[in-house]
Every structure is written in C-alpha cells, then in structure tokens.
Amino acid sequence: MAPVATSATASLPASRLHGQHDRPSMVAVGTIIWLSSELMFFAALFASYFTIRSVSPEMWSENTQLLNVPFASINTTILVLSSFTCQLGVFAAERGQVSRAGSLLQVGKWGLREWFILTYVMGAIFIGGQALEYSELIHEGVTIPHDGYGTMFYLTTGFHGIHVTGGLIAFLFVLGRTYVAKRFTHEQAVSAIVVSYYWHFVDVVWIGLFATIYLIK
C-alpha cells in the first residue's frame, strides 16, 4: 500500500498539496468580491424595508405584534452558533484533519467532517424553524399580497433563507469531496474556507435582519 500512496502523492502538483503561499487564492478572492455584491443586494432590501415602514407606521405596529420573538430568538441563536462550529471545521481543515481522531464523544478531536455535519444540521434546523414561522404567520393572515409589511417581511427573510439553503448545498459539496477524494488536498481546504466565508456572511446578515424585523418595533 505504501508505494501506491507515494505514487499518488507524486502525481499531484505541489500547489494542490500545500498551496501557493506567495499569492492569495483566486477562489477566495472571487468569493469575497461576490459577497460584496451580495452585501449591496441585502442593503437594497434593508433600504426598501425602512422606506415602506416610514410611510406606513400603523401597518408595522399592527403586524409586528404577531411575531413570535422568543421563537425567532432561539432560531437565531442556533444559526449564530453554527458560525462557531463552521469555523472549528475550518481550523480542522487547515491542519489537514478530515475526520475525528477519537470517539464521537471526544469533541476536541473532531475533524472537518464532524464540524461541518453539525453546522449543516444547525442550518437545516434554522430553515425548518423559519418554515414553521411562515406557516403560523400565514395562518394569521400575514401574506405577501396582503400588505406592504407582508411583502417586505417575506422578501427579506425569504431571500436570506434561500442564501442559507445555498450554504447547506455547499456544505454537502465540501463533505462529498472529502469522501470521494483519496487524499485531502489544499484545494479542498480552500473550498472549506470559502464556504465558511459565505456562511459567516449569511449569519451576519441575519443578525441585522433579526434586529430590524423583530427587535425594532
């Protein structure tokens, strides 16, 4: 088995094993530029939300009473904590640890897979909680065509939910590569890192949305 492993290693370019330390990753740079455009998109949504709210304060006062702030707070806490688990997965990727070095209960020895799977579960719980909240609000009559509040509520939170779902798909892609590839390379570590950039971004955006929608009444 040793000669096979040596041959496989030799067939890989050095940049794939260790990266090119004299220049930044183009994937990471491209992701940051793309996230900057996404930031402007959400800024437009925030601007629309506050503009419509400023001309219809009574509508906002009536509808915000229907929001389940304690439930949304718990859901938000889960999403924010998922940023920490995601970053722990990145730390594991940076040191080349794909899977856990001990039992499942030894959290300190977890690798990239365990941390990213936990992050995925927490993100899925957030989306499930958001879907449950939508069903309750629709039952109360808060819908997109009902009024301006419903339109802005579902647009802002809905677009964010789509972004979270995209992040969950990205986690599956990164995890799938760790199982398919015979060797964990620098390219896979970079993939994990850029996915973490995206995940931190959607978490920070949600903190702003949560404060705007649920706390500022």
Side-chain angles (χ1 to χ4, degrees), residues 12-33:
L12 290 174
S15 60
R16 291 195 61 189
L17 289 173
H18 309 294
Q20 297 177 343
H21 301 291
D22 58 339
R23 61 174 129 173
S25 166
M26 291 298 100
V27 176
V29 172
T31 301
I32 293 173
I33 294 174

Side-chain angles (χ1 to χ4, degrees), residues 33-44:
I33 294 174
W34 173 62
L35 290 178
S36 299
S37 68
E38 289 293 289
L39 181 61
M40 291 187 285
F41 170 77
F42 279 104

Side-chain angles (χ1 to χ4, degrees), residues 49-65 149 216-217:
Y49 181 92
F50 281 112
T51 298
I52 297 177
R53 174 176 177 165
S54 66
V55 298
S56 307
E58 299 82 7
M59 182 189 304
W60 253 250
S61 177
E62 177 183 350
N63 284 281
T64 52
Q65 301 302 318
Y149 176 84
I216 304 176
K217 295 186 177 182

Side-chain angles (χ1 to χ4, degrees), residues 31-194:
T31 301
I32 293 173
I33 294 174
W34 173 62
L35 290 178
S36 299
S37 68
E38 289 293 289
L39 181 61
M40 291 187 285
F41 170 77
F42 279 104
L45 288 179
F46 276 103
S48 300
Y49 181 92
F50 281 112
T51 298
I52 297 177
R53 174 176 177 165
S54 66
V55 298
S56 307
E58 299 82 7
M59 182 189 304
W60 253 250
S61 177
E62 177 183 350
N63 284 281
T64 52
Q65 301 302 318
L66 301 174
L67 297 176
N68 190 341
V69 178
F71 178 81
S73 299
I74 295 173
N75 215 27
T76 298
T77 301
I78 293 173
L79 186 64
V80 171
L81 290 177
S82 72
S83 259
F84 292 94
T85 60
C86 177
Q87 191 58 39
L88 289 171
V90 169
F91 292 153
E94 289 176 339
R95 63 177 181 264
Q97 183 182 354
V98 181
S99 58
R100 66 181 188 271
S103 70
L104 189 61
L105 298 179
Q106 294 177 296
V107 179
K109 295 184 178 181
W110 279 11
L112 168 66
R113 287 174 184 162
E114 289 73 32
W115 287 118
F116 268 27
I117 288 173
L118 178 58
T119 304
Y120 179 90
V121 171
M122 295 172 77
I125 290 174
F126 173 83
I127 291 297
Q130 194 172 50
L132 178 60
E133 184 180 24
Y134 280 5
S135 66
E136 293 177 350
L137 288 174
I138 291 173
H139 180 73
E140 295 289 341
V142 181
T143 60
I144 292 179
H146 183 260
D147 53 26
Y149 176 84
T151 300
M152 291 312 305
F153 175 84
Y154 288 109
L155 278 179
T156 53
T157 60
F159 272 115
H160 178 266
I162 292 174
H163 281 72
V164 173
T165 302
L168 296 178
I169 295 173
F171 280 123
L172 291 178
F173 173 75
V174 173
L175 289 168
R177 286 186 67 184
T178 66
Y179 285 103
V180 173
K182 296 179 180 180
R183 184 180 182 86
F184 187 74
T185 65
H186 176 75
E187 291 175 348
Q188 294 185 52
V190 170
S191 297
I193 292 170
V194 297

